[in-house]
Amino acid sequence: MSSLQGYVDRRVLLILQDGRAIVGTMAGYDQKSNVVLSDTKERVYSMDEGVEEIPLGLYLVKGDMVVLIGELDDAIDQATDLSTIHAEPIPPIRY
Amino acid sequence: MLIFSVFKTLTDQQVTVELKNDLSITGILKSVDQFLNIRLDNIKVSDEARHPHMMAVKNCFIRGSVVRYVQISAENVDTQLLEDATRREALNQNVYLDAEYKLESREWRLPSGIG
């Protein structure tokens, strides 16, 4: 179970089963891929407006809900102007 | 367990993972665990114009339960070997399903012709 090693204290993007995208600092995780993120913000994508960031604070996400956790490259992320990005939200998981 | 071993032999190869939310991600397979959770490096999302959400993401962890397909290139897998191994494993599992536990002697009896 090496898989989430190396993400602790990094800025990560978390994609959930319902399609929500959350960025935050990985505070911890366990073997069931439950994760704790601090300073989280949800990124709400839409075609009509730029990306809206909603601060959520500290989040504990149950492993079942996790789809993907990606390490954010801070340089690229900060260089991106979210208000100019128009995109469909990520589709929810369909079994 | 067999498929876990197959994935372990594919580390450091390029694979494309299709998720159950229709996202397709190509990258170098860095590691895999018993749940078939996957770590990918150097990732690229197919149809980036439609999916700009992961622009700043270079490596990721994908939960095994949301994977629909893993595309691997043909030269990275010995299909004949895999076919034989999967059949052998399936056969062994059936042997255990058919086995009977004998109460008197407290031992397992395998179906006739095996063991």
Side-chain angles (χ1 to χ4, degrees):
Chain A
M1 192 64 200
S2 61
S3 294
L4 280 169
Q5 234 170 20
Y7 286 143
V8 177
D9 289 335
R10 303 288 174 88
R11 291 293 284 174
V12 294
L13 168 76
L14 171 61
I15 296 177
L16 297 178
Q17 297 246 6
D18 58 7
R20 277 189 283 179
I22 290 170
V23 294
T25 307
M26 172 85 84
Y29 69 93
D30 69 6
Q31 68 279 16
K32 287 172 154 173
S33 53
N34 300 318
V35 291
V36 180
L37 301 184
S38 60
D39 306 314
T40 55
K41 290 182 184 114
E42 179 178 350
R43 286 188 180 167
V44 183
Y45 288 81
S46 76
M47 282 312 262
D48 314 327
E49 293 169 65
V51 178
E52 187 186 358
E53 273 200 326
I54 301 167
L56 297 172
L58 186 76
Y59 243 50
L60 189 153
V61 180
K62 202 156 182 279
D64 310 346
M65 288 299 290
V66 173
V67 169
L68 178 148
I69 297 170
E71 188 185 345
L72 282 174
D73 185 322
D74 273 329
I76 301 177
D77 196 49
Q78 263 145 44
T80 315
D81 184 1
L82 287 174
S83 63
T84 63
I85 293 180
H86 297 244
E88 295 283 358
I90 298 169
I93 290 285
R94 298 201 48 165
Y95 286 100
Chain B
M1 228 36 201
L2 182 85
I3 300 300
F4 174 39
S5 310
V6 173
F7 277 120
K8 278 198 286 191
T9 69
L10 292 169
T11 45
D12 294 319
Q13 309 290 350
Q14 179 167 293
V15 297
T16 301
V17 182
E18 184 182 319
L19 307 184
K20 289 176 188 168
N21 57 11
D22 294 334
L23 232 62
S24 267
I25 303 166
T26 305
I28 306 294
L29 183 69
K30 282 328 263 185
S31 72
V32 62
D33 64 19
Q34 79 245 31
F35 307 112
L36 305 187
N37 297 329
I38 291 173
R39 266 289 289 266
L40 291 183
D41 259 13
N42 227 325
I43 61 161
K44 212 163 177 58
V45 179
S46 346
D47 201 355
E48 259 188 331
R50 233 165 73 88
H51 300 117
H53 317 76
M54 307 212 342
M55 270 190 316
V57 177
K58 288 289 151 266
N59 64 78
C60 70
F61 163 91
I62 299 169
R63 201 163 194 271
S65 61
V66 301
V67 173
R68 186 182 290 139
Y69 302 120
V70 180
Q71 296 175 30
I72 50 191
S73 81
E75 64 255 30
N76 291 335
V77 60
D78 183 337
T79 345
Q80 191 60 53
L81 192 71
L82 186 57
E83 184 179 311
D84 293 347
T86 46
R87 287 181 183 190
R88 207 174 313 119
E89 188 170 79
L91 191 70
N92 283 336
Q93 276 169 7
N94 288 338
V95 167
Y96 294 119
L97 286 177
D98 291 344
E100 289 176 70
Y101 188 68
K102 289 183 69 185
L103 264 182
E104 327 75 88
S105 59
R106 295 191 179 169
E107 58 187 22
W108 286 93
R109 189 170 63 192
L110 294 173
S112 56
I114 297 163

